[in-house]
């Protein structure tokens, strides 16, 4: 059986079945700094399965994750030594997750503390499309309770988050897969990183000429002439602003 498996800095949006599936007698698994969005049609976010009903996971650590959960459940059964700390749990199904006060049906074998049950203030939860480049919507707003609220992971060997931001070995990380500062969106910001760059222009070009099915634009910040449409005029407007900032 697996020993010491690590699952970290991933983003999941409406993946349908067993996002974290722990089977039989695996030990010392660590699941941390992931952002999970489940809006509809998702069954188990975290689940445990045993072929004989006896051999169960031991000493699983679940830290610093965002569970945005309007669908799917946390199913833990008879595992032992499980720790559920400093996660953010939010949504219609939040009550189905371990609670700091121990109020959880399967919670007899779970140590839960330091968790936050509030809106994580993601920029646009559920707004990603196909491909990694569309996941900027899972960065955090400046007022997010996730910023700086995570546990420092001892002996952490990973140095960057999902987006390439540094992960400090000495300072408390954010909760979730994004470890940067809170994002304030600007005009033309199509990849939700708080900056206007040539990447935003490329995103809009792909969208307009349909070069990519995965192209996503931030319509609220891209309609430069406020005519209710996204078209070549907006592309020209963004390029004009970008040219001025580069002077």
């Amino acid at each position: 059986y697996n020993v010491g498996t690590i699952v970290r800095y991933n983003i999941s949006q409406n993946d349908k079945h067993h996002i974290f599936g722990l089977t039989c007698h695996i030990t010392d698994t660590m699941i941390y700094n992931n952002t999970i969005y489940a809006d509809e049609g998702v069954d188990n976010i975290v689940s445990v399965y045993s072929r004989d009903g006896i051999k169960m996971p031991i000493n699983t650590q679940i830290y610093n994750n965002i569970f945005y959960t309007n669908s799917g459940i946390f199913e833990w059964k008879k595992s032992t030594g499980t720790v559920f700390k400093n996660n953010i749990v939010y949504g219609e199904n939040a009550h189905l997750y371990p609670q700091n006060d121990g109020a959880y049906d399967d919670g007899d074998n779970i140590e839960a503390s330091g968790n936050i049950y509030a809106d994580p203030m993601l920029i646009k939860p559920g707004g990603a499309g196909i491909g990694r480049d569309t996941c900027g919507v899972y960065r955090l707003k400046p007022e997010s309770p996730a910023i700086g609220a995570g546990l420092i992971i001892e002996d952490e060997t990973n140095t960057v988050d999902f987006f390439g931001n540094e992960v400090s070995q000495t300072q408390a990380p954010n909760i979730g897969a994004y470890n940067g500062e809170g994002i304030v969106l600007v005009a033309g910001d199509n990849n939700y990183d708080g900056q206007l760059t040539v990447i935003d222009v490329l995103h809009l070009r792909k969208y307009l000429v349909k070069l990519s099915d995965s192209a996503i634009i931030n319509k609220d910040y891209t309609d430069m002439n406020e005519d209710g449409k996204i078209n070549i005029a907006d592309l020209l407007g963004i390029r004009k602003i970008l040219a001025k900032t580069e002077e």
Side-chain angles (χ1 to χ4, degrees):
Y1 299 102
N2 289 351
V3 177
T5 300
I6 296 176
V7 185
R8 61 190 173 196
Y9 290 103
N10 300 284
I11 293 175
S12 170
Q13 177 180 291
N14 289 330
D15 293 310
K16 298 301 182 182
H17 185 62
H18 293 340
I19 295 171
F20 300 113
L22 292 88
T23 303
C24 296
H25 195 67
I26 59 175
T27 59
D28 301 323
T29 300
M30 295 186 70
I31 300 172
Y32 62 89
N33 286 102
N34 302 283
T35 296
I36 309 301
Y37 177 83
D39 188 41
E40 58 182 29
V42 180
D43 50 17
N44 295 336
I45 306 297
V46 180
S47 65
V48 168
Y49 172 76
S50 174
R51 292 185 180 89
D52 59 10
I54 299 173
K55 298 182 180 69
M56 293 286 184
I58 299 174
N59 298 337
T60 303
Q61 300 171 65
I62 305 174
Y63 300 151
N64 302 351
N65 302 284
I66 292 176
F67 296 99
Y68 196 117
T69 171
N70 292 326
S71 178
I73 64 174
F74 186 104
E75 182 184 46
W76 207 249
K77 299 180 180 176
K78 298 179 181 179
S79 62
T80 58
T82 303
V83 179
F84 190 84
K85 285 186 177 182
N86 287 64
N87 301 283
I88 290 183
V89 185
Y90 178 71
E92 295 176 6
N93 284 12
H95 65 287
L96 300 176
Y97 284 67
Q99 307 291 309
N100 292 333
D101 61 5
Y104 172 63
D105 288 345
D106 288 346
D108 292 343
N109 299 316
I110 296 179
E111 175 191 344
S113 63
N115 299 292
I116 299 171
Y117 304 90
D119 189 343
M121 304 301 288
L122 301 164
I123 290 180
K124 190 178 180 182
I130 300 172
R132 189 184 187 95
D133 290 344
T134 71
C135 291
V137 294
Y138 288 101
R139 292 184 172 99
L140 301 171
K141 296 178 180 179
E143 61 270 32
S144 171
I147 295 175
L151 290 173
I152 296 175
I153 305 299
E154 294 184 7
D155 302 320
E156 171 67 283
T157 57
N158 186 61
T159 57
V160 294
D161 70 358
F162 180 91
F163 299 95
N165 297 297
E166 180 182 359
V167 176
S168 172
Q169 309 302 306
T170 57
Q171 295 181 338
N174 295 347
I175 295 174
Y178 172 68
N179 200 51
E181 297 179 352
I183 294 296
V184 177
L185 298 177
V186 299
D189 184 3
N190 281 308
N191 64 343
Y192 299 87
D193 67 351
Q195 305 175 70
L196 179 60
T197 67
V198 67
I199 294 175
D200 300 299
V201 175
L202 294 175
H203 270 271
L204 183 52
R205 285 182 61 188
K206 288 181 179 180
Y207 176 84
L208 291 174
V209 300
K210 295 179 171 50
L211 286 176
S212 171
D213 292 336
S214 67
I216 283 184
I217 61 167
N218 183 356
K219 293 184 179 181
D220 294 336
Y221 285 77
T222 301
D223 187 6
M224 307 303 291
N225 59 1
E226 299 182 346
D227 65 353
K229 303 176 182 178
I230 305 299
N231 51 37
I232 190 67
D234 301 305
L235 177 62
L236 294 174
I238 291 174
R239 291 180 65 178
K240 185 176 181 180
I241 294 174
L242 185 60
K244 287 183 178 180
T245 61
E246 293 177 345
E247 289 179 355

